[in-house]
Amino acid sequence: MRIPCLLLLLFIPFASHATPTGKLSPEQAFDLFARALLESDAEAGDTLHRAMQAAKQGDAPLSVMDARLVPEMVEALAKGEIDDDIPPEFAAPLGEVIRSTYLRSHCRATSAVPVNESAQGLQQVTLSFRCQVPDWDAAAPPLTDEVISRMRADASFAYGLITTTVPTLPRRSITDTVTLTADANGNYFFVDGQALLTPLIQSTMPMLLLAGHTRSQGQP
């Protein structure tokens, strides 16, 4: 089974900058990014847009796109506009599962630790964050390696199991880190979208764990 290409659409870097009234902390920058992208929070997207305009960043329109990306992807999936191996009967239910998983993820920064400057002499921090994801360990019947292997081999089985099981699962916390790099004026402007989204994708589609990925660190 191929990694769904619709999810690769989300592997794009987005920007976050200081507000017009002052610089954001790395944690604030990350939280605005996560709210806009994962929770389709238009207010967070607008805040990023105004901040980027104030910082004279050419990519300012991306901050508005953040809040529209997931809804537009789900709509395109339901309409069969995304070329993939997802059986048509599961397209709309899978889109809803993805939307709900992102919406309920509540990814938030927990700390930011300064690290060495980048090769360009810019300040960097290692930012830790926590997300809420579906807890497949609570699935019944259990999600064994055999089941995951079958999910990779049989698309109908995989997406049928995902769309019926994920909505009933409790949540668990996972933690991860991402590096934020400041611009020349000390504004933290980049969040690694792939680092943020990969653990959420894996938590929704566990067959990806056998596709060259590893589990993210979790917290009970």
Side-chain angles (χ1 to χ4, degrees):
M1 175 180 291
R2 293 180 288 114
I3 297 176
C5 66
L6 66 97
L7 298 175
L8 299 182
L9 294 176
L10 301 182
F11 287 174
I12 42 184
F14 290 90
S16 55
H17 292 264
T19 60
T21 56
K23 293 180 181 179
L24 294 172
S25 68
E27 294 92 337
Q28 290 172 323
F30 177 89
D31 288 355
L32 282 173
F33 168 82
R35 284 170 49 199
L37 179 62
L38 300 177
E39 301 170 29
S40 302
D41 187 328
E43 181 179 355
D46 288 343
T47 299
L48 290 180
H49 182 68
R50 292 193 301 271
M52 294 172 71
Q53 284 186 318
K56 294 180 170 47
Q57 295 294 324
D59 291 335
L62 289 178
S63 59
V64 177
M65 290 171 58
D66 288 358
R68 298 200 303 260
L69 185 62
V70 171
E72 290 178 355
M73 179 270 292
V74 170
E75 181 179 359
L77 178 61
K79 291 180 177 179
E81 296 174 351
I82 296 178
D83 180 23
D84 222 312
D85 63 347
I86 301 170
E89 64 271 25
F90 295 116
L94 178 64
E96 177 57 28
V97 166
I98 294 171
R99 185 200 66 79
S100 178
T101 297
Y102 292 158
L103 181 63
R104 298 171 62 189
S105 62
H106 198 70
C107 290
R108 296 293 185 269
T110 56
S111 66
V113 179
V115 295
N116 294 333
E117 292 183 347
S118 70
Q120 294 75 31
L122 301 176
Q123 296 175 333
Q124 292 184 316
V125 298
T126 296
L127 184 139
S128 300
F129 63 93
R130 178 179 290 113
C131 301
Q132 299 297 312
V133 302
D135 185 5
W136 277 93
D137 290 339
L143 186 69
T144 62
D145 288 345
E146 181 179 359
V147 171
I148 296 176
S149 296
R150 183 180 173 190
M151 293 176 77
R152 293 199 65 211
D154 185 339
S156 292
F157 173 76
Y159 293 116
L161 185 62
I162 289 168
T163 54
T164 57
T165 303
V166 171
T168 69
L169 294 175
R171 285 336 198 214
R172 68 183 180 94
S173 294
I174 61 171
T175 59
D176 212 332
T177 60
V178 67
T179 298
L180 274 68
T181 302
D183 65 12
N185 296 316
N187 299 309
Y188 285 89
F189 65 92
F190 175 76
V191 172
D192 185 344
Q194 184 170 353
L196 175 60
L197 292 168
T198 294
L200 300 181
I201 294 168
Q202 291 177 342
S203 73
T204 306
M205 301 186 178
M207 66 279 200
L208 299 184
L209 293 173
L210 295 186
H213 300 287
T214 57
R215 286 185 181 270
S216 296
Q217 295 180 340
Q219 297 291 333

